[in-house]
Amino acid sequence: MQQRSLKNVLVSGGMGFIGSNFIRFMLKNNPDFSGRIVNLDVLTYAGNPANLADIDAAYQGSRYFFEQAGIGDRQIVENIFKKYEIDTVVHFAAESHVDRSILGPEGFIRSNIIGTYTLLEIARDCWASRRDVLFHHISTDEVYGSLGSEGRFTETSPYDPRSPYSASKASSDHLVMAWGSTYGFPVTLSNCSNNYGPCQFPEKLIPLSILNMIEGKPLPVYGDGKNIRDWIHVDDHNRAVWTILTKSPAGEKYNIGGENEWENIRLLHTLIDITARKAGLDTEKLRASVTFVKDRPGHDRRYAIDCSKIKKQLGWNQAVPFEEGLGRTVDWYLANPAWISAVRSGEYRNWIKRNYEER
Ligand code: NAD
Ligand code: DAU
């Protein structure tokens, strides 16, 4: 099996949910990585520097470097590539929330499609004919569309995106794979199912529900609550990404999933039980606050990932049992009231001003 070694890794979108967990895993919990990470993030509403405050304190200027810029800022990013002698790109940066894409698709087209195109071109220019480098693109199972009650998405399932978000991610997947085929440019791609874990912005189902429980607010459920998602802990996703970076040949595409399908309403009831127990809240009152609301337009019914390829070819496996992972996630939000109030008040957006510009 191929074994790549990584020295200078550019992580785009590293202040977001999955990217920040990836950087922490790489620098703190991955003894097999001794290189440097450059976190390139423009800091949209979803980019929260507090997600990496510990990493910033421990590694900034030695193994960790934060650069605030958009992936579409060609000249700036090209300079960053050259300055840090980047040999690996892990491309997380994107607009990521389906509901926001329905309300306003433009930013999704700009960041997810044009941004990915620009980052690809910068890497292609800077790397020229080098083949010991890698551009890994992080994508979603949503590109495959919606399943009925049977079957799972494989790497050869046809693309059938149904929201502006998934259409923009599908476009970016096609660009990445086309750059590989046409230019012989070294790319890999992964399509992952729904992630959960610490530092997720409270617009997504699990953190929104946990925070609303703590704050005594209603718990909105779209439609009949019977849509199904395949949940995976963010650490399992990030270990899969590491496995691909180090072991995959260029040109390959992998599905990553939890093999863990839950109807939204059943998931919410389980989350209520866990949160009630840990936060000392009343289960019955929490159940009574579940509120069925108008469905998301074009709401995909079911996602389920067949991830046998990465298991068989690269030896990856999930390691976090779901209810344990949910419990740890609830613990994290309960242990971080300052993070929550900074996000709720918008104060988190001043973090850079306070911590960088005043240094
Ligand atoms: P997120 O919204 O939490 O974070 C996105 C990050 O990207 C933010 O820090 C934001 O500031 C940054 N960003 C956005 N546009 C940018 C731009 N133009 N230039 C530079 N930075 C920019 O997202 P997430 O949930 O962590 O998702 C990360 C990636 O994983 C996305 O590509 C998403 O499509 C994919 N993904 C997410 C999930 C999931 O369940 N969250 C599942 C599968 C795949
Ligand atoms: O499948 C991977 C995708 O998972 C990622 O590509 C996306 O970036 C990520 O946001 C996520 O998309 P979803 O739309 O599945 O996640 P969300 O948390 O928004 O919703 C999960 C399910 O819960 C979905 O069926 C909609 C429903 N929902 C969501 C919210 C926010 C509710 O019922 N109520 C809610 O308040």
Side-chain angles (χ1 to χ4, degrees):
M1 203 178 297
Q2 174 133 354
Q3 282 290 352
R4 278 189 78 243
S5 79
L6 293 61
K7 290 197 187 75
N8 298 316
V9 181
L10 182 96
V11 174
S12 73
M15 292 299 195
F17 163 48
I18 308 177
S20 62
N21 279 285
F22 179 76
I23 291 174
R24 177 168 301 98
F25 158 68
M26 291 284 277
L27 292 175
K28 268 187 141 168
N29 301 319
N30 183 358
D32 296 329
F33 177 68
S34 54
R36 307 191 296 177
I37 290 198
V38 180
N39 178 2
L40 171 70
D41 197 306
V42 76
L43 297 183
T44 68
Y45 78 96
N48 183 349
N51 291 347
L52 288 176
D54 57 332
I55 296 296
D56 189 70
Y59 300 103
Q60 174 70 35
S62 56
R63 294 184 62 203
Y64 172 74
F65 304 85
F66 171 59
E67 296 280 358
Q68 185 175 2
I71 49 174
D73 296 337
R74 187 160 184 153
Q75 199 51 58
I76 297 173
V77 179
E78 209 167 294
N79 291 341
I80 291 169
F81 242 79
K82 290 180 181 148
K83 176 174 165 194
Y84 295 101
E85 301 176 353
I86 297 299
D87 55 60
T88 307
V89 172
V90 189
H91 177 33
F92 290 97
E95 290 293 340
S96 70
H97 191 40
V98 175
D99 294 330
R100 285 183 192 255
S101 82
I102 294 167
L103 292 172
E106 194 181 329
F108 290 71
I109 306 304
R110 194 171 295 126
S111 286
N112 301 3
I113 306 179
I114 300 171
T116 299
Y117 156 74
T118 310
L119 198 56
L120 279 167
E121 281 296 79
I122 293 166
R124 192 164 74 89
D125 270 2
C126 291
W127 287 340
S129 57
R130 277 184 72 179
R131 292 296 173 258
D132 59 337
V133 287
L134 186 68
F135 186 111
H136 180 70
H137 180 54
I138 304 288
S139 191
T140 169
D141 58 359
E142 300 202 8
V143 298
Y144 300 122
S146 183
L147 288 166
S149 55
E150 297 294 315
R152 293 190 293 171
F153 300 127
T154 70
E155 285 80 1
T156 54
S157 295
Y159 274 40
D160 182 23
R162 291 158 32 88
S163 73
Y165 164 68
S166 54
S168 69
K169 292 298 291 187
S171 307
S172 63
D173 288 13
H174 291 318
L175 290 172
V176 168
M177 294 314 272
W179 258 236
S181 311
T182 304
Y183 303 113
F185 178 71
V187 295
T188 44
L189 162 63
S190 52
N191 296 87
C192 190
S193 63
N194 285 64
N195 284 224
Y196 71 97
C199 302
Q200 188 168 27
F201 197 79
E203 61 187 352
K204 310 281 165 64
L205 178 65
I206 289 182
L208 176 79
S209 303
I210 297 171
L211 265 55
N212 283 6
M213 284 187 236
I214 299 171
E215 293 164 0
K217 294 182 181 159
L219 307 175
V221 175
Y222 298 166
D224 63 4
K226 292 192 173 157
N227 300 67
I228 292 175
R229 297 292 182 265
D230 173 357
W231 293 94
I232 183 169
H233 194 276
V234 65
D235 291 348
D236 280 341
H237 180 186
N238 283 330
R239 269 190 316 96
V241 172
W242 167 250
T243 304
I244 295 168
L245 296 176
T246 49
K247 294 186 177 167
S248 173
E252 291 292 328
K253 167 189 196 331
Y254 301 90
N255 281 354
I256 304 168
E259 300 179 293
N260 178 41
E261 293 179 49
W262 287 70
E263 272 185 359
N264 291 337
I265 189 69
R266 190 173 143 244
L267 166 61
L268 192 53
H269 285 159
T270 303
L271 193 58
I272 286 174
D273 291 344
I274 295 173
T275 309
R277 199 171 60 242
K278 288 182 178 284
L281 299 170
D282 183 320
T283 308
E284 290 315 312
K285 270 197 193 148
L286 292 179
R287 282 206 178 211
S289 64
V290 171
T291 310
F292 288 90
V293 299
K294 195 165 170 287
D295 208 355
R296 173 187 280 173
H299 195 176
D300 289 340
R301 192 64 172 171
R302 173 173 167 257
Y303 303 143
I305 276 279
D306 177 340
C307 51
S308 50
K309 177 177 173 185
I310 187 169
K311 288 185 159 187
K312 282 193 199 125
Q313 294 189 3
L314 305 184
W316 169 85
N317 253 300
Q318 308 91 349
V320 184
F322 189 46
E323 296 195 23
E324 183 193 312
L326 275 184
R328 273 167 35 197
T329 304
V330 171
D331 286 340
W332 187 86
Y333 284 98
L334 291 176
N336 286 282
W339 186 96
I340 294 175
S341 65
V343 167
R344 285 299 206 207
S345 67
E347 167 59 17
Y348 73 106
R349 306 215 67 177
N350 298 327
W351 198 95
I352 289 293
K353 198 181 264 315
R354 274 189 279 109
N355 289 278
Y356 271 67
E357 290 166 16
E358 288 163 15
R359 261 181 205 172

